[in-house]
Amino acid sequence: KTMISPRLLILAASAAVATIALVLVASGNNSALAASSVVNGNFETGNLTGWTVDTTASGETAGAVKSYTVTDPIQGECWGYCLIRYLSVLPHEGSYFALLKVADQSQWTTISQPFTASNGDRISGWVFTLETLYQTRGYTTPGFEDKGQVVLTDGSGTTVATLFKDTGSSGDYNSPWRYWEYNFTDLPGEGQFQIQAKQSSQMWSISSDGYGWETNVLGLDDVKVSTVSAAPSPPTITSPQSNTYDNDGSFSVSGSAERGSTVELFEGAISKGTTKADPSSGTWSIALSKVSDGVHTYTAKATNVAGTSNASSPVSITVDTVKPSAPTLDSPADNSYDTDGNIHFDGHTEGGSTVKI
């Protein structure tokens, strides 16, 4: 019999699915389906095996490397001879990571790979850019034109979620690597997707000495597809803050939860609605209206394919849509006298209201 190499079968399958639009099978067959792994997700072969590399537009390179180094953006005062400091990135996992560079053009350097996923699957990984590397020194990269992204698309090329987008807004002194993930829910069956790492710039970013330019880069590592095996952590409610007031009975309860999970809001045991946590950020919000006057206490739970979380910490809000009655002024007595110009007023009014003298 003629034997076909398993490697050839994998390469042939990858080439075929790259051109197929989103394929969905009957949900009743989900138990027999498993997500395909991303080939060479931690790049330990020392190259980009399994990934499609597109550098023709950007005029730059993509490959697997052991490290990346730039000069420290914060050198401090330096008179005469200085020992130049450097910032280096090592792989998040293993010995190699993928590195994308972009030239002085507004075009993308891209690596991508198709894979299959079903409900309960999660794709995740780690990424860094020149901005996140500079942030390890507290440098917030003002004026950068860094546009590193990790994007998830379906089989037809439509963007499902932007999993990472460099904003340069926050620093992390511990590591340049940033974690991203996406949880698949509400699929009627197995679907075809593609993961893309992209880097583009309209100009190079200014270097640490203020005179030259550093090439914008994007590093990618530890990319994998796995099965969600645990219920999510309890969501958080960040708005409204507990023990605050509302004067019209209409407000939104918002917070964060596991990305892509279903969030349900409760008042006691009564459900007040459900929503999906944002697949990129995990933020969620549920609008309430015609809430009656009085104290209302809310909790939230998050659900993924593995189960439902415990309830969040409770948040209480008092709805008061009726103006208070006029307060009383009990002291000092009417038509009384004061001898030193220091007067203290006492009285009664609706609890929690603000009194102006």
Side-chain angles (χ1 to χ4, degrees):
K1 298 181 178 179
T2 301
M3 301 298 292
I4 299 176
S5 165
R7 180 185 176 109
L8 291 177
L9 286 175
I10 293 173
L11 292 174
S14 298
V17 296
T19 59
I20 299 176
L22 178 64
V23 177
L24 301 177
V25 299
S27 58
N29 296 330
N30 279 359
S31 60
L33 298 173
S36 65
S37 298
V38 178
V39 178
N40 197 20
N42 56 0
F43 307 101
E44 289 311 286
T45 57
N47 55 46
L48 299 184
T49 298
W51 293 81
T52 298
V53 180
D54 183 2
T55 60
T56 55
S58 69
E60 262 294 349
T61 62
V65 300
K66 290 188 174 182
S67 65
Y68 180 71
T69 301
V70 296
T71 55
D72 190 329
I74 303 179
Q75 296 287 336
E77 290 222 20
C78 185
W79 301 98
Y81 175 76
C82 284
L83 180 63
I84 298 177
R85 297 194 301 263
Y86 295 92
L87 295 177
S88 295
V89 183
L90 297 176
H92 178 264
E93 179 177 295
S95 302
Y96 291 88
F97 60 88
L99 184 69
L100 285 64
K101 293 184 178 180
V102 63
D104 192 8
Q105 300 181 39
S106 57
Q107 302 294 335
W108 293 104
T109 293
T110 305
I111 63 172
S112 59
Q113 185 172 164
F115 66 96
T116 56
S118 306
N119 284 334
D121 292 331
R122 169 186 294 159
I123 186 165
S124 61
W126 293 81
V127 63
F128 84 87
T129 65
L130 184 63
E131 285 197 276
T132 65
L133 177 56
Y134 276 7
Q135 287 165 18
T136 63
R137 293 288 292 139
Y139 191 65
T140 56
T141 61
F144 266 43
E145 289 288 345
D146 203 337
K147 297 180 180 176
Q149 295 183 24
V150 179
V151 177
L152 177 70
T153 66
D154 62 23
S156 65
T158 301
T159 298
V160 175
T162 299
L163 307 177
F164 170 84
K165 185 174 182 179
D166 206 335
T167 62
S169 60
S170 63
D172 183 349
Y173 285 86
N174 298 312
S175 171
W177 290 102
R178 302 289 185 266
Y179 177 72
W180 55 266
E181 70 174 34
Y182 182 86
N183 298 296
F184 292 91
T185 59
D186 294 337
L187 297 178
E190 189 178 64
Q192 182 66 42
F193 298 90
Q194 183 165 253
I195 190 73
Q196 295 180 339
K198 306 165 58 178
Q199 177 62 280
S200 179
S201 179
Q202 293 180 353
M203 64 172 61
W204 294 346
S205 298
I206 193 167
S207 64
S208 56
D209 60 13
Y211 294 101
W213 304 96
E214 294 283 3
T215 303
N216 280 328
V217 298
L218 181 142
L220 187 70
D221 202 10
D222 197 18
V223 184
K224 59 187 176 183
V225 181
S226 57
T227 299
V228 177
S229 58
S233 301
T236 61
I237 298 177
T238 56
S239 179
Q241 294 185 347
S242 194
N243 300 318
T244 54
Y245 288 81
D246 174 80
N247 62 10
D248 63 4
S250 296
F251 52 90
S252 293
V253 181
S254 308
S256 62
E258 179 181 280
R259 290 180 276 192
S261 62
T262 298
V263 179
E264 187 168 12
L265 183 67
F266 293 90
E267 182 174 4
I270 301 174
S271 175
K272 307 304 289 186
T274 62
T275 190
K276 283 286 186 185
D278 186 88
S280 297
S281 65
T283 56
W284 60 271
S285 183
I286 294 177
L288 302 177
S289 61
K290 299 181 180 180
V291 180
S292 61
D293 280 30
V295 179
H296 299 266
T297 301
Y298 300 99
T299 59
K301 294 181 179 180
T303 301
N304 62 20
V305 295
T308 300
S309 73
N310 294 325
S312 67
S313 298
V315 169
S316 295
I317 183 169
T318 300
V319 177
D320 187 356
T321 61
V322 180
K323 294 180 180 179
S325 300
T328 65
L329 188 55
D330 303 333
S331 175
D334 192 22
N335 295 318
S336 59
Y337 289 84
D338 172 77
T339 60
D340 63 4
N342 298 315
I343 306 171
H344 184 82
F345 294 91
D346 292 302
H348 293 83
T349 188
E350 181 183 283
S353 61
T354 299
V355 178
K356 292 184 179 181
I357 298 297

